[in-house]
Amino acid sequence: MTGALGSAALVLTSMGAVTTAASPAAADPCGFYETGSDAFYNHCTSDGSRVVIKVEVPLAPDYERCVGPGKSWLGSASKISGAYYVGRTC
């Protein structure tokens, strides 16, 4: 019985290693995200639209910004706490 469990674990481990090795490099996520030092908003679209996002700033007024397709730098991660799509284009 132990041999069967060991074989099953080996097969599962092998499958996991193949899956991990075959997965592509992670792309920038859609929406708001931070790196170690910077804050970004990634507008994922294939139609070329520009959208309005609200940028949340701690200890300062939030503001709206128009962003196009792809990654937009919002500022230092220490100064931006979030950003989200407000539901309209620009």
Side-chain angles (χ1 to χ4, degrees):
M1 185 123 193
T2 304
L5 290 176
S7 296
L10 180 60
V11 169
L12 290 174
T13 302
S14 297
M15 289 172 58
V18 170
T19 302
T20 302
S23 65
D28 296 328
C30 296
F32 176 77
Y33 70 96
E34 295 178 339
T35 64
S37 59
D38 295 301
F40 295 92
Y41 187 88
N42 189 16
H43 175 41
C44 297
T45 183
S46 60
D47 67 6
S49 63
R50 297 177 60 82
V51 297
V52 178
I53 62 170
K54 178 162 265 187
V55 180
E56 299 173 324
V57 185
L59 305 174
D62 295 345
Y63 62 91
E64 290 186 348
R65 178 172 167 185
C66 179
V67 297
K71 180 170 65 171
S72 297
W73 183 73
L74 301 178
S76 170
S78 65
K79 296 183 178 180
I80 306 295
S81 62
Y84 59 90
Y85 171 56
V86 300
R88 64 182 193 273
T89 58
C90 50

